[in-house]
Amino acid sequence: MTHSGTHGGLGVVQGTALYIASVLGTGLLVLPGLAADVAGPASIVSVLAVIVLAVPLAGTFAALAARYPDPGGVASYVRRALGRTAARATGYWFYFGVAAGFPVLAVLGAEYLSAILHIDRVAVPILVFAILIPPFAVNMLGVRVAGWVQFVLTGLLVGIVVFVVVTAFPAVEGSSFTPFLPHGWSGVGTAISLFVWAFAGWEVGTHISGEFRDPRRSIPIATAIALVVTGLAYLLLQVVTVGVLGEDAGAGAVPLLSLAEAVAPGFGPTAIGAVAAIVVLGVMNAYLAAFGKLGASLASSGDLPRVLAPGAESGGVPRRALLLTFVIAMVYCTIALATGGDLQTFILIHTSNMVSIYAAGMIAATLILPRFTAGWFMAVVAAVLSVGLLLLAGANLLPAAALALAAILVTVGKRLRRSSRQAVALGGETVAAEAADPGSIVEVKTTAVPAERSSALESSAQS
């Protein structure tokens, strides 16, 4: 559903901050260590591979968001090209599937806080739920306020990356890069799947595209700046993580603290831990702006209860949809804590849904963007690469498949209800005709449908 209206107040600076935070974010806190654990020094190759994927992907999303600003984001583009059921599945993948990332954010923030404050780990569950509250409160005030908050948080985030890289580079040892492929190319494939988490975030801007003052100018600029900053940050951080920590890079729940301790004992871990909490809040802040708008847009389209629809319009604050998102986040966090908080599992569930969204979005982009433009060529490349990522995801696609099935069942349910209403309406016409002339036999052909109803049926068939 496209929402027209006056554009919002986001400019290039705020938009760039939101993009950087949604892409950079908590990946910095955990992914360099996890990737080094599964791929060794070759994890650097996985970062380069995902950067290559990010360029056409980010470029395509920028072209879509600039040309078709809509709070439904990717789901609205899929609806234009592939129909309502595919769009519904895309919306569900983001709203319910990508939400599997909430416990990752909250647990990471809690782990870092407990480590630097020397709090007993028994308090981690309390910290997990406490971390959820501030970003939800900020987004209840509207995306413009969230944008300025994000600018400050992103500045701190970029600053800490620069600090770690500059401090760690002198301690890099060449011997840490051999053997380069300790787990073979399969390990690199797993690391690429993990790093999709790091570069999953370009779609966030599509949901808040209507909040930009000048989408066609601001979104491409913000995307380009964010691409350079995030790509360099992840690549340089992976190099120093492997080069300094070597085989110990994947050890522990807080790998960035280990790196900080190795290069700046005392001050380093304290600074990293403090900023880690800020990073978590910043990423949640960026994503919630998208979740709220998408939830309201799905409700406006009838894919979620319509009571959640207020706030989908440009400049509106989708408070009801944000409250539902808060409930979803609480449920996921509860499951994560009850099952031991295996972050890698939740990351892979999150990324498999993201890959599904990307594949659908890029295929839709090839169909709706003007052919042979720069955006269209990027969409073609990104579509091929996204399908390749689907193959890498394998069994991790099961949650995404379940959400797609739910979307299909909703479509079936809607069609059955329409058929039932149409049957009742036709039955009412038969009774009325008999009542009008009880002495005669009136033949009513069920295939004869008034012109206005025929038009409605044709419209509903497209859903």
Side-chain angles (χ1 to χ4, degrees):
M1 180 175 181
T2 302
H3 298 267
S4 60
T6 305
H7 291 309
L10 291 183
V12 173
V13 173
Q14 296 160 285
T16 301
L18 285 165
Y19 270 113
I20 291 176
S22 61
V23 177
L24 205 54
T26 51
L28 294 173
L29 306 180
V30 66
L31 286 178
L34 286 177
D37 186 46
V38 300
S43 56
I44 296 169
V45 176
S46 69
V47 178
L48 290 170
V50 181
I51 289 174
V52 170
L53 168 65
V55 173
L57 196 64
T60 303
F61 279 131
L64 288 168
R67 185 175 290 272
Y68 308 110
D70 190 296
V74 184
S76 68
Y77 311 139
V78 173
R79 178 178 286 107
R80 287 172 179 267
L82 304 175
R84 290 181 180 271
T85 302
R88 186 176 298 120
T90 304
Y92 289 174
W93 286 332
F94 192 93
Y95 199 69
F96 299 104
V98 173
F102 277 114
V104 179
L105 300 177
V107 170
L108 276 175
E111 291 281 5
Y112 273 84
L113 276 178
S114 65
I116 64 164
L117 298 177
H118 306 291
I119 300 174
D120 193 300
R121 293 196 73 256
V122 175
V124 167
I126 298 174
L127 292 173
V128 165
F129 292 112
I131 284 171
L132 292 174
I133 296 174
F136 276 95
V138 169
N139 273 271
M140 283 291 190
L141 299 175
V143 72
R144 188 172 185 178
V145 173
W148 281 116
V149 171
Q150 195 61 58
F151 174 66
V152 175
L153 297 179
T154 300
L156 291 170
L157 171 60
V158 173
I160 204 64
V161 173
V162 172
F163 164 76
V164 171
V165 170
V166 170
T167 308
F169 249 113
V172 171
E173 297 182 3
S175 60
S176 298
F177 296 92
T178 56
F180 190 71
L181 273 170
H183 306 294
W185 288 107
S186 61
V188 175
T190 302
I192 289 174
S193 293
L194 287 170
F195 263 107
V196 170
W197 166 280
F199 288 91
W202 300 112
E203 77 294 337
V204 169
T206 65
H207 298 285
I208 59 172
S209 53
E211 305 302 319
F212 282 86
R213 283 193 297 271
D214 184 1
R216 293 209 174 200
R217 173 183 173 273
S218 300
I219 290 176
I221 294 174
T223 300
I225 296 172
L227 262 173
V228 174
V229 172
T230 55
L232 282 175
Y234 275 116
L235 181 60
L236 294 175
L237 196 57
Q238 193 65 36
V239 170
V240 298
T241 298
V242 173
V244 174
L245 299 179
E247 294 181 355
D248 296 327
V254 286
L256 199 57
L257 284 185
S258 301
L259 181 60
E261 182 65 44
V263 298
F267 171 75
T270 302
I272 294 292
V275 175
I278 295 172
V279 169
V280 168
L281 294 177
V283 174
M284 283 192 182
N285 185 56
Y287 263 90
L288 284 173
F291 271 101
K293 285 295 184 181
L294 173 61
S297 179
L298 287 171
S300 298
S301 301
D303 298 329
L304 287 178
R306 293 190 182 275
V307 70
L308 302 172
E313 70 281 356
S314 296
V317 183
R319 294 186 177 91
R320 295 178 184 180
L322 281 169
L323 285 174
L324 176 59
T325 305
F326 182 74
V327 172
I328 294 170
M330 294 285 282
V331 170
Y332 272 122
C333 286
T334 301
I335 294 171
L337 293 171
T339 56
D342 183 357
L343 295 187
Q344 183 167 322
T345 298
F346 278 90
I347 288 173
L348 288 172
I349 291 173
H350 169 98
T351 55
S352 66
N353 278 276
M354 290 306 313
V355 169
S356 301
I357 292 169
Y358 287 164
M362 294 305 98
I363 291 171
T366 63
L367 298 174
I368 64 176
L369 286 175
R371 290 199 172 191
F372 308 117
T373 60
W376 182 83
F377 280 115
M378 286 190 288
V380 171
V381 174
V384 173
L385 294 174
S386 297
V387 171
L389 285 176
L390 278 177
L391 298 177
L392 278 178
N396 294 308
L397 287 172
L398 287 175
L403 289 171
L405 178 61
I408 294 171
L409 291 176
V410 170
T411 296
V412 172
K414 285 189 172 188
R415 289 180 177 176
L416 288 175
R417 285 196 298 272
R418 287 194 191 100
S419 297
S420 177
R421 287 196 299 267
Q422 290 156 8
V424 170
L426 289 173
E429 289 177 0
T430 302
V431 172
E434 291 175 346
D437 188 6
S440 62
I441 299 176
V442 179
E443 180 182 0
V444 178
K445 296 184 182 291
T446 57
T447 55
V449 183
E452 63 271 19
R453 183 172 293 111
S454 176
S455 176
L457 286 173
E458 290 173 1
S459 175
S460 68
Q462 296 175 1
S463 66

